[in-house]
Amino acid sequence: MPRLWRYGLVLSGNRTDAQDLAQATAVRALERAAQFQSGTRLDRWCFAILTSIWKNEMRARAVRRGRGLVPVDQAGLTAPDEAEMNISAGRVLSEMIALPEAMRETLFLVYVEGHTYAEAAERLEIPLGTVMSRLANGRRRLKQALPGEGAD
């Protein structure tokens, strides 16, 4: 559940929406457990369900862009007792949330969740070259926005 919540947060930028997405994913996974193919990775199957729920919600709301994102300091993602690291992590997360959704989602899958480029391409249903382009552009934008943070 923490990984689903974290992925939901990356997609939505909102703690409450992330929790709702994680719960809806768990419910749908239980309802459709018979569709799970043994021998495949459960986490990837759950990520696919979460993405599907998110995209359906986006379509239903029609105007979602620019709404629901919260400043990192309000998201409560960092512990107050690790001040220096929190400042750096908060800055990176703020800049990452400001990236376009497709780029943000690709960066998250590869650099946070540890998917390979090929796995991310399959998961996002995009060509491998598109994954590589999004990652390169995302790294470049983060590096420009965070000089001295070691964003690459």
Side-chain angles (χ1 to χ4, degrees), residues 77-87:
L77 295 177
T78 56
D81 58 333
E82 301 166 345
E84 189 173 316
M85 186 173 170
N86 288 348
I87 292 168

Side-chain angles (χ1 to χ4, degrees), residues 24-104:
T25 300
V27 168
R28 185 161 304 161
L30 289 172
E31 291 172 347
R32 298 181 182 178
Q35 295 177 359
F36 177 71
Q37 298 173 358
S38 63
T40 61
R41 291 190 51 172
L42 179 62
D43 61 338
R44 293 198 182 123
W45 184 61
C46 288
F47 281 138
I49 292 171
L50 189 140
T51 302
S52 175
I53 292 169
W54 172 248
K55 288 180 179 178
N56 288 340
E57 186 176 322
M58 293 269 296
R59 285 185 201 107
R61 292 183 184 181
V63 182
R64 175 96 173 152
R65 294 210 190 280
R67 295 182 51 214
L69 297 178
V70 297
V72 172
D73 58 337
Q74 292 178 15
L77 295 177
T78 56
D81 58 333
E82 301 166 345
E84 189 173 316
M85 186 173 170
N86 288 348
I87 292 168
S88 180
R91 288 183 61 209
V92 171
L93 187 57
S94 290
E95 291 300 330
M96 191 168 167
I97 287 175
L99 294 172
E101 181 181 344
M103 191 179 295
R104 183 174 68 231

